[in-house]
Amino acid sequence: KERGTTSLEYLRKESKESVHAQLERFTGVGKKTVAIINLFDVGHPDMAVDTHVFRYAEQLGWVPSAAEREAHNKRAETSKDRWPVVTRDTCYAHLDAIFPDRLKYS
């Protein structure tokens, strides 16, 4: 929605999810960029997952390995129970859900 001015100020009244939806519609603006805007400008707790955070999450076992995902999916009874391929975006969704908001500003 166009507002006639160049400002992100209106986002302060929006939910975290709404900020993601509004900004990710622009080419080149992804979850990490919006998470940073949420954290440091809008004031919403969010989890910015860059290449390094993604790699550490894999190394620390915070997201399932390919072998764990494959084993789980073999046992899954329905497609709804299957785990998706682990990407930066699925890692973002997982870490944002499990990390307490108070730790997202560290």
Side-chain angles (χ1 to χ4, degrees), residues 46-62:
D46 211 337
M47 190 75 194
V49 176
D50 64 5
T51 301
H52 306 288
V53 172
F54 179 51
R55 187 176 71 232
Y56 297 143
E58 289 180 311
Q59 291 171 349
L60 293 168
W62 293 349

Side-chain angles (χ1 to χ4, degrees), residues 5-77:
T5 62
T6 305
S7 174
L8 297 177
E9 197 62 34
Y10 74 96
L11 295 174
R12 294 179 191 278
K13 297 176 184 170
E14 302 290 331
S15 68
K16 177 172 78 172
E17 294 76 15
S18 176
V19 173
H20 273 274
Q22 290 185 48
L23 296 181
E24 286 178 29
R25 67 188 172 100
F26 295 106
T27 303
V29 178
K31 292 188 182 308
K32 181 185 85 169
T33 301
V34 179
I36 290 168
I37 291 169
N38 263 331
L39 274 168
F40 299 111
D41 187 34
V42 178
H44 294 308
D46 211 337
M47 190 75 194
V49 176
D50 64 5
T51 301
H52 306 288
V53 172
F54 179 51
R55 187 176 71 232
Y56 297 143
E58 289 180 311
Q59 291 171 349
L60 293 168
W62 293 349
V63 294
S65 67
E68 290 169 323
R69 181 182 162 273
E70 184 178 336
H72 172 84
N73 287 346
K74 282 182 182 177
R75 295 187 309 271
E77 295 183 15

